[in-house]
Amino acid sequence: MNGLGTDGGGSTHNTVSSTHNTVSGDAVIVGPLLMAQHIEGIQLPPPPPDVPPSQGPMPSRVFVNRTKELADLRDAALSLAAGPEPGVVLVVGVGGVGKTQLVAQAVRRELHRLFPDGQLYVDLADHRRDGAVDLAAVLGEFLRALRVHKDYVPGGLAERTALFRSVAATLRLLVKVDNVQHAPEARALVPPQGLLVATGRRVLPSLLMDGAVLIDVAPLDGAAGTELVRRWHADADEGTAADVVRLCAGHPLALRAALEWLAARPQLTLDDVVRDLTAGRYGTGDDGVREATGMAMGVGGGTEEGGVGEAVDTVLDSVVAGVSGHTRHLYDLLGVLPGTTATADLLTAAGATRVDEGLGELLSCRLAVLVESSDRPRRYRLHDVVRAHARLRARALPEERRRAVLRLVVDFYADAAAHGDALVLGDRFRIQPPPVRPLSELAARRTLFTGRADALEWLDAERVNFRAVIRVAADEGWYEEVWRLCESLWALYHSRKHLADCVESGLLGIEAAQHEARPDVEIRMRNQVARAAYELGDLDRAESQLGAAADLLGLAGDPRLSGVVQESRGLIALARGRSEESPGAARERAEEARQLFERALAANRAVPDPHGIVVQSYNVAQALVAGERWADALDVLDEAAETARTTGDEPMLPRIDLVRAHAFAGLGSLDRAVAAAGAAADAAAGLKQFAKLDQALELLTALADRAEDRPLRAACEEKLGALRRTMGLRPPAAPTA
């Protein structure tokens, strides 16, 4: 076998007994046996707890007269689960009729036993944008719930779909999806094995043609509704209970809201509820508002379902009229807020008082619910039917008050995002100044977040709200806040690969910069859109944005803006080169990339920006390696590594060593290539850069295979498999003989 102790130039190095020869002062050359032992000794983090995900709303204790629907759902699940292919159940009914609760009850009673590998849940209303669902974001959440490490979650929809199918290939999963509007949304989320249960407000014929089983959930009939009322109020007169059911049109959400409101007022009786509902229904209610509420429920006016909408509107009017003044103010605030969830800190910032009391009353009346969240603050939301009612009420507020509330909300998010960005990405180049308000002033009790990981979780939990807030700020003409939010949210979008959000918000940021006559900001926004498009593989769109940004560079004062644009153009040139079939064309692309990176390097030296100098030197070396200028690349990398060590930029060292390993391999010096790749693996493991550790181990495996070093290859394959299992991925396929 050809050992790794011999370089490509023919000179012989000592192998096992010698560990003193170095590679550019960074890595020690060792023999194959010691390197294999060294790889075996790399410490990996412990795998996450092997606990199946159990996502979704909790079942209620009180649940009546859905015997047929529960039986139908159980029978469908049993039949579909027994088949070789994954199954789909479509649960259809008007908004708030109890579809989600029906599924929760079925899961608790029987379905959980059919799907031992876990339950995934998503409400597509949180991911719908201009009628379309961001399926990439949904699949990203599913992958993280299945314990795939964030560093291994790709950016594009196709890649996430493929990874989800791979990770879930052997798992018996139950996927629960609320608010499905179109068949492709459901199809994209069907697990490879198991069952998808989707709820929606209308039948989707194409899903039924695919073999989906339909479960129809209608409002409660008189007998069932009366049973539910008397379950809460055992001494209720049957006639009075029947009147309540009739006035609520048998709608479970309306019944529950009315009776929870009554339960908090022991001095009142069920007759009082009937009287108030009757007065509301036949009083001076706004029929247009009721019709709009019915449409928000997914029903039309003038039909039986339209009557349900009017009944729910009547109940909500009565319940809100009966709560305390500060709770009513809080409810109206929730109707003004963009987004879907709110925290006590946000509501306080928006001007609410006695927030905890008000939220408690809204929860007790079933107007608000707690939602699951991976970050620290407790989050609240209104049921979508209730939210529609609250937003219709908000239309009656004076315009000055509504805009004042929105301004407080936008300012809160702009400052919070800036603080989060600072914690996640540290001392990076930013156009906006630091926020005036300290982080401690944004929270009612304790700080919103305290460290990098905590800040990133908070930003991610607020992602849907950020999207809505940026739109509101753009609509209101608060252009500075628009681009400030967009710049800060790069920390979230880049870290968690929310690339569609990055493009959407960045386009609004470009418009805001143009309104503000800020060419520097427009350059930054166009570059962010271009980087997201680049990662999505849309190189034409990325180049178009960068071309427009380059035209503005003469109007920008900070040379770093030129640096970021030239860097992005260089990355695109490298990507173009990798797809070239002709070696000559590939080298031309590499030379184009090198020149662009050299300009970016010069721009960062002009400031000077030490981190930018290291990054652009690393990029120059990448281009040199792509152009097969191995020795030139090593000279650049030596200087970059020295600058990184001097300035404390340790996170760049694994990247530098990986490129160095490729350069040595290009020269045929396999021992030095292995030493550099080993150094990259060591540094990446120490810094918890698991994706870089993966790359280093893959490169070491290829180098060992090239040198016919079986012990090193076996050690790398075993460590790589262990790493990928720890990261939530299946291990690589066993090598063929």
Side-chain angles (χ1 to χ4, degrees):
M1 131 180 128
N2 295 327
L4 287 171
T6 301
D7 68 14
S11 60
T12 302
H13 294 264
N14 295 329
T15 55
V16 176
S17 62
S18 176
T19 60
H20 300 294
N21 296 315
T22 62
V23 179
S24 303
D26 297 304
V28 176
I29 296 177
V30 300
L33 181 59
L34 285 182
M35 180 56 78
Q37 292 173 345
H38 186 77
I39 295 301
E40 291 171 355
I42 290 178
Q43 295 296 311
L44 300 179
D50 189 15
V51 178
S54 182
Q55 299 181 334
M58 296 296 293
S60 168
R61 290 185 176 183
V62 180
F63 190 78
V64 300
N65 198 51
R66 294 300 188 190
T67 305
K68 180 181 183 303
E69 291 90 340
L70 283 170
D72 290 345
L73 183 51
R74 178 200 62 214
D75 292 345
L78 285 169
S79 175
L80 293 170
E85 301 295 330
V88 176
V89 176
L90 180 61
V91 182
V92 174
V94 298
V97 79
K99 302 181 295 293
T100 300
Q101 189 56 220
L102 173 70
V103 175
Q105 293 290 337
V107 170
R108 183 187 67 177
R109 298 181 188 197
E110 294 187 71
L111 299 194
H112 69 280
R113 290 191 289 270
L114 298 176
F115 306 100
D117 295 315
Q119 305 159 33
L120 300 174
Y121 171 78
V122 65
D123 185 344
L124 294 187
D126 289 341
H127 296 274
R128 197 173 300 283
R129 184 169 59 231
D130 298 327
V133 169
D134 186 355
L135 290 169
V138 175
L139 288 169
E141 292 179 2
F142 282 3
L143 287 168
R144 286 191 289 273
L146 292 172
R147 300 185 296 280
V148 175
H149 191 276
K150 61 180 179 60
D151 291 351
Y152 283 76
V153 176
L157 173 59
E159 294 83 359
R160 289 187 178 187
T161 300
L163 183 57
F164 174 65
R165 290 174 180 168
S166 175
V167 169
T170 60
L171 302 179
R172 301 286 293 174
L173 290 173
L174 175 63
V175 177
K176 301 171 288 185
V177 182
D178 277 343
N179 286 306
V180 171
Q181 293 184 5
H182 308 287
E185 299 167 357
R187 292 192 187 106
L189 303 177
V190 175
Q193 293 193 50
L195 183 70
L196 174 80
V197 179
T199 73
R201 296 181 183 179
R202 60 188 181 90
V203 175
L204 302 176
S206 59
L207 273 188
L208 301 184
M209 293 177 67
D210 290 346
V213 177
L214 177 65
I215 308 292
D216 185 48
V217 183
L220 297 172
D221 60 24
T226 300
E227 179 187 349
L228 179 60
V229 172
R230 300 189 76 183
R231 180 75 63 90
W232 278 310
H233 294 273
D235 58 346
D237 174 79
E238 185 169 347
T240 305
D243 285 340
V244 174
V245 175
R246 175 178 53 81
L247 290 167
C248 293
H251 195 284
L253 185 148
L255 281 168
R256 182 119 195 186
L259 296 175
E260 291 280 1
W261 176 84
L262 176 62
R265 293 159 180 79
Q267 76 277 13
L268 300 180
T269 68
L270 206 59
D271 288 321
D272 295 314
V273 173
V274 172
R275 184 192 64 245
D276 289 349
L277 290 178
T278 302
R281 185 163 192 178
Y282 300 110
T284 58
D286 184 340
D287 290 337
V289 169
R290 288 182 181 157
E291 180 181 354
T293 305
M295 294 188 65
M297 295 172 61
V299 300
T303 66
E304 182 179 352
E305 289 83 357
V308 174
E310 292 181 4
V312 173
D313 178 62
T314 298
V315 172
L316 294 178
D317 281 343
S318 297
V319 171
V320 172
V323 299
S324 56
H326 63 272
T327 301
R328 195 156 51 249
H329 175 231
L330 191 65
Y331 185 78
D332 289 340
L333 274 181
L334 288 166
V336 175
L337 296 183
T340 59
T341 64
T343 62
D345 297 319
L346 172 63
L347 292 166
T348 301
T353 59
R354 300 169 68 180
V355 172
D356 289 337
E357 293 179 39
L359 286 171
E361 193 169 5
L362 291 178
L363 288 171
S364 69
C365 292
R366 299 290 169 170
L367 297 177
V369 295
L370 276 168
V371 295
E372 297 176 358
S373 177
S374 58
D375 67 330
R376 292 190 307 171
R378 302 184 80 187
R379 298 183 179 277
Y380 305 85
R381 72 181 303 164
L382 303 178
H383 186 283
D384 49 1
V385 172
V386 179
R387 188 190 310 126
H389 177 265
R391 287 182 173 172
L392 288 166
R393 280 178 56 93
R395 292 182 185 177
L397 296 175
E399 180 64 13
E400 296 78 9
R401 181 185 172 193
R402 187 192 65 83
R403 292 191 84 240
V405 169
L406 288 175
R407 185 59 198 239
L408 291 171
V409 170
V410 169
D411 288 345
F412 170 85
Y413 276 115
D415 286 348
H419 283 294
D421 172 30
L423 282 171
V424 173
L425 293 182
D427 188 22
R428 73 178 179 114
F429 167 51
R430 298 175 178 86
I431 294 178
Q432 65 179 300
V436 175
R437 283 188 293 183
L439 187 57
S440 58
E441 287 188 11
L442 299 176
R445 289 193 183 87
R446 58 178 180 172
T447 307
L448 293 179
F449 35 79
T450 57
R452 181 186 185 278
D454 202 17
L456 190 54
E457 287 300 325
W458 188 90
L459 291 170
D460 209 3
E462 291 281 1
R463 183 179 69 86
V464 174
N465 294 334
F466 274 123
R467 201 168 65 210
V469 165
I470 291 172
R471 284 202 208 104
V472 162
D475 291 342
E476 296 293 338
W478 300 327
Y479 300 119
E480 181 177 347
E481 285 65 33
V482 171
W483 69 258
R484 281 183 58 205
L485 281 161
C486 293
E487 184 181 44
S488 297
L489 289 174
W490 176 254
L492 168 64
Y493 297 153
H494 179 67
S495 299
R496 290 288 169 88
K497 302 302 179 188
H498 294 308
L499 303 178
D501 282 3
C502 187
V503 171
E504 178 190 356
S505 66
L507 293 176
L508 291 175
I510 291 169
E511 293 181 8
Q514 292 170 341
H515 279 287
E516 293 275 285
R518 291 289 303 267
D520 55 340
V521 173
E522 185 176 348
I523 292 168
R524 191 63 185 266
M525 296 295 100
R526 288 190 181 277
N527 186 69
Q528 289 189 184
V529 172
R531 290 296 286 268
Y534 159 77
E535 293 198 43
L536 287 169
D538 190 350
L539 301 186
D540 291 340
R541 183 176 196 174
E543 284 188 325
S544 175
Q545 289 293 337
L546 291 171
D551 291 341
L552 297 170
L553 288 175
L555 302 175
D558 196 312
R560 286 174 292 186
L561 288 169
S562 174
V564 298
V565 172
Q566 305 304 347
E567 177 190 19
S568 298
R569 297 178 82 178
L571 292 172
I572 292 172
L574 277 182
R576 298 279 195 198
R578 285 192 291 270
S579 64
E580 294 283 2
E581 295 184 1
S582 163
R587 284 192 291 271
E588 288 180 6
R589 287 287 191 179
E591 176 59 19
E592 177 189 351
R594 183 197 65 78
Q595 294 177 12
L596 290 165
F597 290 139
E598 289 281 9
R599 293 176 201 165
L601 177 58
N604 280 276
R605 282 176 171 157
V607 177
D609 183 333
H611 175 67
I613 292 170
V614 173
V615 170
Q616 301 313 325
S617 298
Y618 159 80
N619 283 331
V620 169
Q622 285 196 97
L624 289 168
V625 166
E628 300 181 3
R629 294 171 56 182
W630 322 114
D632 291 340
L634 289 170
D635 291 339
V636 173
L637 290 167
D638 288 345
E639 183 179 350
E642 180 61 29
T643 303
R645 282 191 295 268
T646 301
T647 60
D649 201 352
E650 285 83 4
M652 285 301 299
L653 293 175
R655 297 168 179 258
I656 291 170
D657 277 325
L658 278 172
V659 179
R660 178 178 280 141
H662 283 288
F664 278 124
L667 289 171
S669 184
L670 296 185
D671 53 352
R672 286 175 166 80
V674 166
D682 284 340
L687 293 166
K688 295 182 172 54
Q689 294 181 357
F690 301 119
K692 290 300 171 188
L693 174 57
D694 192 302
Q695 291 176 26
L697 291 172
E698 273 203 320
L699 178 56
L700 279 167
T701 302
L703 292 169
D705 190 56
R706 181 174 164 184
E708 299 180 10
D709 187 334
R710 292 179 181 175
L712 179 56
R713 173 177 157 176
C716 291
E717 287 174 343
E718 182 179 354
K719 187 62 65 174
L720 191 57
L723 172 65
R724 291 178 177 176
R725 286 191 295 272
T726 299
M727 296 293 104
L729 304 182
R730 299 173 65 188
T736 57

